Structure formats: structure tokens, C-alpha cells
Amino acid sequence: MISVITLILWITYFIGLFIIVFWLIIFFEKGIEEENGKLKSYPFVSIAVPAYNEEDTLEETVNSLLNLHYPKNCFEIFVVNDGSKDRTEEVMKKIIERAKGYNIYLINQKNAGKGSALNNALSRARGEFFVVLDADSTVSPDALKKILPVFSRDERIAVVLPLMRVKNTNNFLEKLQWCEYITNNFAKKLITHLDCCHVAPGPFSVYKKKFFDVVGGFSENNLTEDLEMALRLQEKHYKIVQVLTAVVYTKVPPNLKTFFKQRNRWYKGSVLNVLKYRKMLFNLDYGDLGLFHLPTVLFAAIISLVVLIISLYNYVLIPVAKELKNIGAINYDVPAVMNTIFKGKSILDLDFMNLFLIVAMMLILMGMVYFSYKSHDEKLSAFNYIPLIGYFFIYAFLLLMSWAWVFFDLMTGKVQKW
Amino acid sequence: MRHIKRRRYLIAFVITLSVFLLGLLVGFSFNKQREVYLSDIMDNQRLDYDSLQLQYAFIDVMKTEGVCEGITQALSKSVSDLEELRVKIEDYTGDDDFSVANYKILKRDYLLAQIKYWLLNKQSEKVCNEDTVSVLYFYANDDVCKDCSTQSYVLTYLKTLFGEKLLVFSIDSEFQDEPLVGILTRTYNIKEYPTVVVGNDVFPELMDSDKVMPIICNHFKEKPSVC
């Protein structure tokens, strides 16, 4: 009989393989080429920059907006100082002084979170479009021009997302995230083909403002207000579209502490919000989003975590404990047994059944990563292959550790504020 | 209301299933290769055994001197190879949930070979009077016996220290119905696993190297340098 552990691992391989194969089919069926079209007129655009203690990055962020290839009388910028304790207000006042001729405003509010800051800007916005830009991100000059024509494709498009690239690539962790963002952009592009985008991230998501009249403003007591808004729009069957031509650069956490903190908020937010909109789960009225994508978001992490725990217990913890016990029983005379380690070993000793499935999954995954790099005009050898190797062999563990922390928090009832 | 293309899901399912089945097929074929590989080793062992038995019979009948050392070395090597085979059979059985019955036949074959070699060693002790120590090791599978794999490890370690002077014969408790296993179990009053028998001394507990080494050393007529 097959052991329970083997069965669980096989089921997981199958589900994992199915998900990757499914997205590859979408890729080969739909491709990722896009024709955004040209902007025929310049609609008025309102841009909101929520800022909390952003004295170091705010100037660069706002400067990138001032450098947009877009008529300066056709857009307005609201920087919402969300009760910052640093020099954010002072920095902003200097920028306003300098940026004569631009519609640029500073709104000061008591610290109430990003959702509140966005709503504050939204209540004053005059534009046909409403753009959110995190204060640690910068936007390429042609981004707005490339994004706005996309809305003319379909009346139901509510949000268009830019291509997010990592700005800081100094250390190993940042390089890993650089690679992750490339594959995520590619995945989101494929997801767009099935109308399944479930998040509109902070860096330069462009909303058609009239849809706020239908679904309301941003949630103010939500860990991931961008994800909640995306799901709210999806619930009403509005569309969220990813483009790969408009680029925005964002800063990623430079160390493990801030990385885990960020991921904890993101993943906890995604679990809580998917559960909030659970009526869409396995609901055929929501098409591929309900049948496939949201269940993947919710269950993939749980399944991966279970497999990680089983694998660590079975293939690491137990063998290591056994080996330590064995070595203790021979009075730690390791040199005497070292030369017998490979004695009598044969290639047949390998567990070919599991090995084949893992290698098959890795190869297909590598194919996906290859196409992701290609779609970004990046070479696999970028940064001497470091992000790529790390992404395959280390990154999954970091993400699963983040998920483990999220589940621990959820089970102990700990939900932090934004 | 959105539409779902069921065909996509079906194609993805079929491709996934094909890759998965291919994986199983590769696994099965390699497991079959493993069985063939182990059977081949076992066949060679049988030939080695017949050869050794013939050599001892020759010495016994012809009273030829000076050839015992070489034959004892060959016996020791055969027993070591057999132990390697045992470890492989145990490992492969753990990996392959589908061929348990086939591996059980191999294990039984191995067990009988061990007993045959043990008896041959008894014959060798009489004919050649070589200064070797033989250890009988009674073990059970890891589910029943938590210390057995450690005891195996210790005995393998001792084998690397003593070389051909130490002969370890492993007896699997799974085959209690095998008449000779029953006889050996009753002879040494085996009730717990692991149990190590050195000469006629029975030790029904995990014997680490510090405990078992002096006992083995005491059984040599002339103590080897490692003692």
C-alpha cells in the first residue's frame, strides 16, 4: 500500500503541475504581445501619493510624476501626508514651491492608514482617472501615455496595472525579489487573459474614477486595501488589466526583517480578503477567477506549507536525528565511516519516481521563468545567474516561512494594522 | 456571468496526468531494474557460497595447509557484500510501495544466505582454526525496533575497524516462520530487538561501540591493533 505521506506528496505534485501546465496553455494560446494603441486626447488624471515618513524617497517619487510625458495642466497630484513624524511635510512644501505651474497639493491628515489617505485624495480628485502611487516608487515618463489607451479596449476595464520593476538590486535578497517581480509580472499578464487579476498594487495602478461611484472608496481598516478593492471590482465583474509596456520602479525590502513584515501583511491580507469575498470561491458565475485562480491563491500556500512541513520532517529532521544518534553510538568517530559513505552505491539507489516528477515540474517552471525573462528583455544570466539560482532553490523557502508566520498569526488571532 | 473554457482545463488535466503517469512508469521500470540488480547480486552470492563450501570440503578432505587464510578472507568479503545487499533491500523496500511482496522474497533469500554463511563459518572455525570473531545480530524493521538501524550502523562501523577478522550475520525477525530462524531465536532466547550475540554471550539491547568493542576484543585469541 502507498503511505499517507507518499499520497499527500503525489497529490501536491499533481496540483502544482496542473497549475503550471494550465498557465503555460494560456501562454501558448494567448501569448503576451500587446498593442496598447495611441492616446487620442489627454483626459484629466488625478494622482494620489500617500506618504507616511517618506522624507527620503518622496522627492524622487514626485519628481518622476513631474517628468511624466503628459500635459501638466491635464493632471493633478495629491500628496497625502498621513501624520508623518519625519520631515515629509517640509520636503513636500519645498517641492510644491519649486513645481510652479503644476497642480500639486499637499494634504495633511492625522495618521489613519493608507486607505484613509487615498480616500482623502479621492474626495478631492477631479480627474476622469485616479492613479495610486506609493511614495517609494518612481514612474517612467511614458507610463501614463501607455496605460490610458488600454481603457478604450473595453468599457468594463476599471483598472490598468503597469509593469513593476525592482529599483534597488544591491544585495542578494533584493536580487531575488527582482527575479520574483519579473515572473509575477508575466504571471499577472497571463492572469489578465482570463480576467482573474485579484490585486491592484500601490505603484501606479490607474483606476477609471467613475467605478468608485459604484463600488465605493478604499477600505480603511484593511491590511491590503489594494487587494480588497480589486476583489470588490471583480465581484461586480469589472476588469483589471496588466500591461507590460508601462514601467514603474519600486523599492523592495532590503533585509529579511522588513521582507517578512511586508509578506506577512500581503499574505495575511490576501487570505482575509479572499475569505471576505468567499462567495466567489468555486462559483462558476465568476468564471476562471472563482473556479481556478482564487482557490489557487487560498489553497496553494496551505498545501505548500503542509508539504514543506512533511518534507522537512521526513527528509531532513528524521534523517539528521537518526544520523546524529548513529554517530553518537560510534563515539563520534566520523573519519572511520567517511570512506564508506559511497561504498556500494549505485545509480539505482535514487528514488526515480519522485525525482522524475520533481524534475519535470522544475523544467516546466524553468520554461515559465525563461518566457518571463524574455517578456522583460532580460537575459537569464542577469546578475551572474544569482537571482535565478536563488529563486529556484531558496526563495520558495522564504515565501513558505512567510506563510508559516501568517498561519501562526491567524491561528493565534494576531492581525496587525497596516 | 463569465464563461469558462472547459477544454483548457481538460487539456491541462490530460497533460498533467500524462507527465504524472510517465513519472510513475519511469519509477516502476527503475524499481524493476532494482529487483533484477538485487537478484543478480544474490545469484552471484549463491555461486560464491558454493565455491567456498567446495573449498572448505577440499581442505577438510585433503588436510591441505596454508590455504585457509585466503578462503577466510573470501568468506569475510562475501558476508560483507551480503550485509551491503541487506541495507539495499531495506532501503529499496522503503522507497517502493508497490513491490513489497517481491522484496520480501529477496529478503527471505538473503536471510537463508546469511544462515548458510553462518554455518559455513562454523565449519571454517573447525577446519581452519582462524582467529576471527562472529557476531549474530537479530533485528526487526524500524517500526518495531527503534534502535535497530543504529545497531546496524555500529556493527558496520566495527566491521570497517576489524576488517575480515569480524563477521556479522544479520537475522531478520520478520521471518519467524522460517524453521532455522526459529531454532536460532530459541537457542539464544531472543525476545527483544536489537539483540547482539558475540560467541555465546547474548546482549538484548542497543550496544554502542564503547560497549561492544571490548566484548569483541575479548573473543580474539590474539588481540588486533584496534583493540
Side-chain angles (χ1 to χ4, degrees):
Chain A
M1 281 297 291
I2 306 169
S3 69
V4 177
I5 287 176
T6 307
L7 197 65
I8 291 173
L9 288 178
W10 282 8
I11 290 170
T12 313
Y13 292 152
F14 194 90
I15 294 171
L17 201 58
F18 179 84
I19 292 169
I20 301 168
V21 168
F22 184 83
W23 287 122
L24 266 184
I25 289 172
I26 302 298
F27 172 65
F28 286 118
E29 190 183 323
K30 304 264 188 182
I32 53 157
E33 296 298 322
E34 59 187 29
E35 185 50 62
N36 293 353
K38 282 202 169 177
L39 200 60
K40 288 170 188 157
S41 62
Y42 291 100
F44 199 75
V45 177
S46 303
I47 303 170
V49 183
Y52 177 70
N53 293 344
E54 304 283 2
E55 62 177 16
D56 293 333
T57 56
L58 188 61
E59 188 166 2
E60 197 184 355
T61 302
V62 177
N63 280 344
S64 75
L65 290 174
L66 298 177
N67 290 330
L68 279 172
H69 293 168
Y70 206 77
K72 60 183 174 184
N73 60 335
C74 291
F75 71 100
E76 60 185 355
I77 303 167
F78 296 101
V79 175
V80 188
N81 175 21
D82 187 24
S84 296
K85 290 169 187 157
D86 65 354
R87 292 173 48 253
T88 297
E89 186 181 349
E90 196 183 318
V91 170
M92 198 50 222
K93 278 180 176 167
K94 280 185 183 167
I95 297 171
I96 290 173
E97 229 170 78
R98 188 165 41 84
K100 295 259 182 328
Y102 283 91
N103 300 306
I104 181 164
Y105 311 103
L106 171 67
I107 305 169
N108 286 307
Q109 67 170 41
K110 279 186 182 173
N111 182 250
K114 190 178 167 187
S116 164
L118 290 175
N119 285 337
N120 204 338
L122 187 61
S123 66
R124 297 156 200 245
R126 294 177 290 140
E128 188 184 334
F129 295 94
F130 184 77
V131 185
V132 178
L133 181 65
D134 287 345
D136 58 358
S137 305
T138 51
V139 61
S140 60
D142 58 353
L144 203 52
K145 268 183 165 177
K146 286 189 170 169
I147 284 176
L148 290 178
V150 177
F151 284 95
S152 60
R153 278 192 221 157
D154 188 333
E155 266 302 304
R156 297 195 73 81
I157 294 176
V159 191
V160 176
L161 314 173
L163 177 86
M164 274 165 64
R165 300 295 303 261
V166 171
K167 191 158 56 170
N168 49 325
T169 51
N170 302 315
N171 64 37
F172 181 59
L173 183 64
E174 289 165 351
K175 288 186 177 89
L176 285 182
Q177 292 172 88
W178 176 86
C179 183
E180 184 202 22
Y181 273 63
I182 286 180
T183 51
N184 276 1
N185 284 328
F186 180 74
K188 269 198 280 176
K189 181 71 191 172
L190 295 181
I191 287 168
T192 296
H193 287 316
L194 296 188
D195 198 11
C196 284
C197 256
H198 72 286
V199 62
F204 220 67
S205 291
V206 180
Y207 293 79
K208 203 169 198 176
K209 207 179 116 215
K210 70 172 186 181
F211 290 105
F212 288 112
D213 299 335
V214 184
V215 299
F218 291 91
S219 173
E220 296 191 4
N221 52 1
N222 203 290
L223 275 176
T224 46
E225 78 300 318
D226 46 1
L227 198 139
E228 196 275 340
M229 175 55 78
L231 285 175
R232 213 186 315 159
L233 290 165
Q234 286 283 12
E235 190 194 19
K236 300 280 183 201
H237 300 291
Y238 295 131
K239 292 184 174 180
I240 301 170
V241 176
Q242 170 78 51
V243 296
L244 295 180
T245 45
V247 185
V248 58
Y249 297 91
T250 190
K251 240 182 118 182
V252 292
N255 55 53
L256 282 176
K257 191 183 168 192
T258 48
F259 173 81
F260 282 126
K261 205 175 160 193
Q262 182 200 55
R263 296 306 162 123
N264 185 279
R265 187 176 65 79
W266 283 3
Y267 298 163
K268 206 183 285 174
S270 67
V271 170
L272 294 174
N273 281 312
V274 171
L275 288 176
K276 183 178 173 185
Y277 291 94
R278 58 186 171 275
K279 76 163 198 178
M280 292 196 275
L281 277 171
F282 301 110
N283 187 341
L284 292 181
D285 287 350
Y286 291 93
D288 298 300
L289 177 75
L291 182 70
F292 182 68
H293 188 57
L294 286 184
T296 304
V297 171
L298 190 63
F299 296 115
I302 298 171
I303 293 171
S304 308
L305 203 62
V306 169
V307 169
L308 177 76
I309 291 167
I310 289 175
S311 303
L312 281 180
Y313 179 77
N314 220 32
Y315 301 116
V316 179
L317 200 67
I318 296 284
V320 167
K322 210 167 156 181
E323 204 54 33
L324 286 176
K325 188 182 171 191
N326 289 346
I327 292 168
I330 61 165
N331 214 5
Y332 301 98
D333 187 6
V334 179
V337 289
M338 279 303 280
N339 55 358
T340 62
I341 288 176
F342 299 107
K343 197 182 165 199
K345 293 290 177 203
S346 143
I347 192 156
L348 289 170
D349 294 348
L350 297 170
D351 183 357
F352 277 94
M353 206 176 284
N354 284 323
L355 205 61
F356 178 89
L357 293 173
I358 290 169
V359 169
M361 204 180 329
M362 288 288 269
L363 283 175
I364 297 174
L365 201 60
M366 276 180 193
M368 285 287 268
V369 173
Y370 169 75
F371 290 124
S372 305
Y373 270 63
K374 210 175 160 191
S375 69
H376 285 66
D377 289 328
E378 289 289 354
K379 285 184 177 169
L380 290 173
S381 59
F383 300 111
N384 294 323
Y385 298 100
I386 291 171
L388 199 62
I389 295 166
Y391 187 69
F392 271 101
F393 297 104
I394 298 169
Y395 205 58
F397 284 97
L398 290 182
L399 298 188
L400 285 171
M401 277 165 70
S402 307
W403 275 107
W405 185 19
V406 167
F407 287 122
F408 177 78
D409 279 358
L410 290 174
M411 278 190 280
T412 53
K414 190 184 164 198
V415 178
Q416 84 268 38
K417 287 184 178 175
W418 207 92
Chain B
M1 184 74 181
R2 310 177 198 198
H3 295 289
I4 290 171
K5 276 195 175 175
R6 290 173 201 273
R7 196 172 58 90
R8 274 192 205 128
Y9 288 90
L10 191 67
I11 293 169
F13 182 79
V14 169
I15 293 173
T16 306
L17 193 67
S18 307
V19 174
F20 206 76
L21 289 177
L22 192 64
L24 290 181
L25 204 67
V26 168
F28 280 134
S29 65
F30 271 97
N31 285 341
K32 280 286 155 212
Q33 285 300 313
R34 283 176 167 186
E35 287 174 35
V36 171
Y37 169 64
L38 294 178
S39 294
D40 287 347
I41 297 176
M42 196 61 88
D43 288 343
N44 283 331
Q45 285 287 337
R46 278 196 202 93
L47 279 175
D48 288 347
Y49 172 78
D50 289 344
S51 167
L52 275 170
Q53 198 179 34
L54 211 58
Q55 290 173 66
Y56 280 119
F58 178 80
I59 297 167
D60 199 18
V61 172
M62 305 301 287
K63 306 293 177 203
T64 314
E65 287 180 7
V67 289
C68 267
E69 196 184 335
I71 298 173
T72 309
Q73 279 175 6
L75 173 67
S76 179
K77 187 181 177 305
S78 290
V79 175
S80 292
D81 290 348
L82 212 54
E83 177 59 16
E84 269 177 30
L85 182 66
R86 179 186 77 81
V87 174
K88 274 197 192 302
I89 295 173
E90 295 291 342
D91 286 350
Y92 291 179
T93 310
D95 281 351
D96 184 3
D97 299 306
F98 293 100
S99 307
V100 176
N102 296 347
Y103 283 122
K104 197 164 177 178
I105 293 169
L106 277 170
K107 278 164 98 173
R108 190 176 173 213
D109 215 356
Y110 152 82
L111 177 77
L112 294 175
Q114 283 279 4
I115 295 172
K116 281 196 289 187
Y117 274 108
W118 181 69
L119 288 169
L120 194 63
N121 183 52
K122 290 283 172 200
Q123 189 187 347
S124 152
E125 282 170 1
K126 279 183 197 162
V127 175
C128 289
N129 199 27
E130 288 286 322
D131 190 13
T132 57
V133 172
S134 63
V135 170
L136 261 181
Y137 163 47
F138 292 86
Y139 72 96
N141 66 46
D142 286 352
D143 298 335
V144 182
C145 172
K146 289 197 165 45
D147 289 330
C148 281
S149 60
T150 304
Q151 189 63 74
S152 299
Y153 192 85
V154 171
L155 292 172
T156 307
Y157 163 72
L158 292 174
K159 181 75 191 155
T160 61
L161 293 186
F162 288 101
E164 71 218 24
K165 287 191 162 295
L166 181 70
L167 297 160
V168 181
F169 302 93
S170 307
I171 308 294
D172 190 346
S173 70
E174 194 184 341
F175 296 93
Q176 283 297 333
D177 296 339
E178 195 65 50
L180 271 172
V181 174
I183 291 168
L184 284 171
T185 306
R186 280 194 298 280
T187 305
Y188 293 106
N189 193 26
I190 307 298
K191 287 180 179 149
E192 287 172 61
Y193 302 98
T195 292
V196 174
V197 180
V198 186
N200 286 318
D201 301 327
V202 180
F203 303 95
E205 59 178 321
L206 172 62
M207 298 288 283
D208 62 29
S209 61
D210 285 350
K211 282 185 194 166
V212 77
M213 198 137 154
I215 297 164
I216 291 171
C217 283
N218 282 339
H219 279 76
F220 284 108
K221 289 169 204 156
E222 196 178 314
K223 286 191 178 171
S225 57
V226 289
C227 288

